[in-house]
């Protein structure tokens, strides 16, 4: 994780589309780990193991989800770098 603060311009790479969510206090957002781009410092983050054998082996997303709890703004991307690389060179 990188913390960006102060005034100025920061360049970040987002692959695919970008979606922003404004979480209310105690509201949770579950995302695949590679899809998280940024979150407000007021948010908290936790890692949760995916339940169920079918989900683990057939879900195609890995063993863990990232759970972000508000309040704050969260930005996610639709195509993390590993998925982008696989789509370019199957």
């Amino acid at each position: 994780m990188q913390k960006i603060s102060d005034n100025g311009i920061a360049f970040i790479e987002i692959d695919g589309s970008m979606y922003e969510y404004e979480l209310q206090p105690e509201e949770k957002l579950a995302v695949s780990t590679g899809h998280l781009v940024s979150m407000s410092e007021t948010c908290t983050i936790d890692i949760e193991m995916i339940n169920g054998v079918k989900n683990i082996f057939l879900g195609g997303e890995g063993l863990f989800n990232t759970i972000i709890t508000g309040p704050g703004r969260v930005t996610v991307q639709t195509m993390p770098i590993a998925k982008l690389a696989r789509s370019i060179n199957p």
Side-chain angles (χ1 to χ4, degrees):
M1 300 282 284
Q2 299 278 328
K3 181 178 180 178
I4 299 173
S5 61
D6 214 344
N7 294 323
I9 297 173
F11 293 95
I12 58 171
E13 177 188 348
I14 296 176
D15 299 311
S17 297
M18 176 186 89
Y19 293 95
E20 287 189 314
Y21 298 93
E22 189 68 43
L23 299 180
Q24 299 305 312
E26 300 304 314
E27 184 178 7
K28 296 180 186 288
L29 178 67
V31 298
S32 234
T33 303
H35 292 262
L36 179 62
V37 174
S38 68
M39 64 184 193
S40 302
E41 63 181 30
T42 55
C43 293
T44 59
I45 188 169
D46 197 15
I47 304 297
E48 179 180 271
M49 187 166 186
I50 294 175
N51 295 323
V53 174
K54 285 184 183 179
N55 291 332
I56 291 170
F57 291 110
L58 302 175
E61 295 294 330
L63 295 174
F64 301 96
N65 276 335
T66 300
I67 310 298
I68 301 103
T69 305
R73 177 170 287 164
V74 178
T75 306
V76 297
Q77 63 184 346
T78 60
M79 186 176 284
I81 192 69
K83 188 174 179 182
L84 175 65
R86 283 192 304 270
S87 68
I88 291 172
N89 187 15

